[in-house]
Amino acid sequence: MTVRKLTATVAAPGVPFFTPAQDPPVGTALNTDNDNGAGTKTPTVFTPLKLRSLTLQNRFAVSPMCMYSADDGHLTDFHLVHLGAMAMRGVALTIFEATSVTPNGRISPEDSGLWTDSQIAPLKRIVDFIHSQGQKAGIQLAHAGRKASTVAPWHTQSRGHGEAATAAQGGWPDNVWAPSAIKFSPKFPQPKEMTVSEVEGLVDSFAKAASRAVSAGFDTIEIHAAHGYLLTEFLSPITNKRTDQYGGSFENRTRLLVDVIKATRAVIPETMPLLVRISATEWMEWTGGESWDLAQSIRLAKLLPDLGVDLLDVSSAGNNAEQRMQITPTVQIDLASEIRDAVRAAGKTLLIGAVGFVNTAEIARRVVQTDDEGLVDVDGEHGQKTKADLVLVARQFLKEPEFVLRAAHQLGVEVKWPLQYGRAAWAKGEKL
């Protein structure tokens, strides 16, 4: 047995390997009156955010991103490097990709899963590493519904247009679930309408997966009810044509999501925050018929605090191949802002996360800013209202795993760097 000599370096606590403790965590603003030459205070995006017992040192989170690289639902060393690279460079919360609660709920045969205990250990290994860096880890629990059993996007001619994975490719095209037997598009599998027993069993599957996530050491859980996957399909009157207790009225179409939230909340610690992601609209208003839209998202959002949800992660689209999304640089951020305003006006307490096209430090700053440089929490002639409480970033982290550190430098905020990388920190005022 090798005995490591004692040194002045303090080890990170609670992990089964040695690495220096990052105290405070990387990405922490090192003073609250950050003097960048103009005497400005630290922007809100680099101030702490509290969710129940969880405190994030800044307002950046890794948005869940499917990597199509798991082995029968088990994460691998690829995911350790992929997720660890962002966590060690200062992002406060890393949310793991959509993780299916049943085998047939994966988008592709290579998706992450948490339907069996053997999938806990690979997840825990990555969570341990993230914790060793002083950061927090979350997991998005999901079921792909009628968009399941498709091949990874690099196998298709046009990215974003899926093709069915056959049984020979490891798929399950004959066992794809949906609220109603309506295909997403011609190349997707033909789904089966779920029985009431299968719907009730799915709620139990979410609860069991949530319990496994707790065992893996996650700090928070997000329920995926966006992007046209199963819970979204139940919400939408276009994809949900059921005539039982899970279809028809708003109350019936939201019943499955509400049941999943309740079942998840019941098996996780009271101190653990619970997140939900929705598509605020499916962008089908152009048809003139009823669809899932912003008004219904606001109505749903007002219910969430009483169900024990702490943060609503607002995205949009994904439920219809014929959607007509109105793309602007702030389209999804603006949807989040409208929901936030409506929830607060109703006297409810619910944090809001914004995602989409967050690719510069200035955009990140403006999303959550509350009291700096004339930006205030209400509309005003010289100000801008706060749009969200947390910034979720996806593709920019793939381009720049150090996006948090780069944003801090560009905003003139002195933050903690990784101990091992300190010699590479940009000099004050250095042009990037």
Side-chain angles (χ1 to χ4, degrees):
M1 179 174 130
T2 301
V3 178
R4 192 175 68 83
K5 293 181 180 179
L6 294 176
T7 71
T9 300
V10 176
V15 294
F17 55 87
F18 171 77
T19 187
Q22 306 287 345
D23 186 19
V26 179
T28 301
L30 295 180
N31 54 64
T32 55
D33 291 310
N34 209 21
D35 187 357
N36 63 3
T40 59
K41 293 182 179 180
T42 301
T44 304
V45 75
F46 281 100
T47 62
L49 179 66
K50 189 171 178 61
L51 299 92
R52 297 198 181 222
S53 67
L54 188 67
T55 299
L56 308 179
Q57 80 275 18
N58 58 50
R59 306 296 182 96
F60 288 95
V62 173
S63 189
M65 293 178 280
C66 293
M67 292 287 109
Y68 309 98
S69 300
D71 181 8
D72 191 26
H74 299 73
L75 297 196
T76 70
D77 284 358
F78 166 82
H79 300 91
L80 173 65
V81 175
H82 161 63
L83 296 168
M86 295 175 281
M88 70 181 290
R89 289 170 172 82
V91 64
L93 174 62
T94 300
I95 305 179
F96 290 31
E97 65 189 77
T99 297
S100 182
V101 301
T102 66
N104 76 337
R106 290 170 290 168
I107 303 167
S108 80
E110 293 81 33
D111 274 22
S112 174
L114 197 45
W115 64 80
T116 185
D117 288 352
S118 65
Q119 292 158 342
I120 296 173
L123 291 166
K124 188 176 188 304
R125 182 174 182 231
I126 303 170
V127 171
D128 283 346
F129 178 79
I130 291 172
H131 285 167
S132 78
Q133 303 305 298
Q135 315 293 15
K136 308 302 182 184
I139 188 168
Q140 186 185 66
L141 299 182
H143 191 290
R146 67 177 184 163
K147 296 175 79 172
S149 190
T150 58
V151 296
W154 51 79
H155 292 298
T156 62
Q157 290 184 346
S158 180
R159 195 171 183 89
H161 297 276
E163 295 180 6
T166 65
Q169 295 170 309
W172 50 97
D174 295 329
N175 188 31
V176 172
W177 287 352
S180 302
I182 304 170
K183 293 179 72 168
F184 178 76
S185 73
K187 290 187 176 182
F188 276 69
Q190 175 62 53
K192 299 177 181 178
E193 180 172 317
M194 294 175 70
T195 66
V196 170
S197 177
E198 287 169 337
V199 174
E200 293 171 347
L202 180 70
V203 175
D204 186 56
S205 294
F206 267 94
K208 288 178 178 176
S211 293
R212 293 186 182 104
V214 173
S215 297
F218 283 98
D219 301 290
T220 186
I221 290 171
E222 178 173 90
I223 295 169
H224 196 0
H227 300 164
Y229 300 122
L230 187 62
L231 296 180
T232 322
E233 295 162 21
F234 270 87
L235 295 176
S236 168
I238 295 178
T239 48
N240 184 349
K241 301 297 185 182
R242 300 175 73 98
T243 57
D244 60 11
Q245 66 266 41
Y246 295 102
S249 67
F250 172 86
E251 289 77 12
N252 284 358
R253 286 183 283 111
T254 58
R255 188 182 306 279
L256 176 56
L257 174 57
V258 169
D259 288 350
V260 167
I261 292 170
K262 289 179 178 178
T264 302
R265 185 76 262 176
V267 299
I268 65 176
E270 176 64 27
T271 55
M272 177 182 281
L274 181 60
L275 286 56
V276 172
R277 169 171 275 192
I278 63 168
S279 285
T281 173
E282 55 183 326
W283 296 109
M284 293 293 288
E285 293 89 346
W286 66 270
T287 65
E290 188 182 10
S291 63
W292 185 262
D293 56 18
L294 180 60
Q296 290 177 87
S297 289
I298 289 172
R299 186 176 175 186
L300 173 63
K302 292 177 181 178
L303 301 176
L304 297 181
D306 292 335
L307 295 172
V309 175
D310 302 284
L311 183 142
L312 179 63
D313 176 0
V314 180
S315 187
S316 75
N319 196 40
N320 279 278
E322 297 180 354
Q323 67 187 25
R324 294 183 183 177
M325 186 175 181
Q326 301 169 14
I327 298 178
T328 68
T330 62
V331 57
Q332 296 190 156
I333 294 170
D334 291 339
L335 291 170
S337 178
E338 289 196 53
I339 293 174
R340 185 178 188 269
D341 289 348
V343 171
R344 290 162 68 90
K348 301 283 187 176
T349 300
L350 179 68
L351 296 175
I352 299 295
V355 65
F357 305 108
V358 180
N359 52 23
T360 70
E362 181 58 23
I363 291 173
R365 183 188 75 86
R366 285 183 175 273
V367 168
V368 299
Q369 188 62 38
T370 58
D371 59 357
D372 188 22
E373 300 177 12
L375 301 180
V376 294
D377 203 29
V378 295
D379 288 311
E381 183 179 355
H382 303 293
Q384 172 187 302
K385 66 182 179 182
T386 302
K387 294 182 178 295
D389 305 285
L390 182 70
V391 180
L392 293 108
V393 181
R395 296 179 191 181
Q396 198 61 29
F397 274 129
L398 300 183
K399 299 174 184 178
E400 298 177 329
E402 77 285 358
F403 179 60
V404 171
L405 299 176
R406 186 178 293 267
H409 182 76
Q410 291 171 336
L411 294 175
V413 181
E414 183 185 0
V415 298
K416 171 75 182 307
W417 269 59
L419 293 174
Q420 303 93 322
Y421 291 8
R423 288 174 294 177
W426 298 293
K428 187 175 181 179
E430 181 179 348
K431 197 79 171 175
L432 299 187

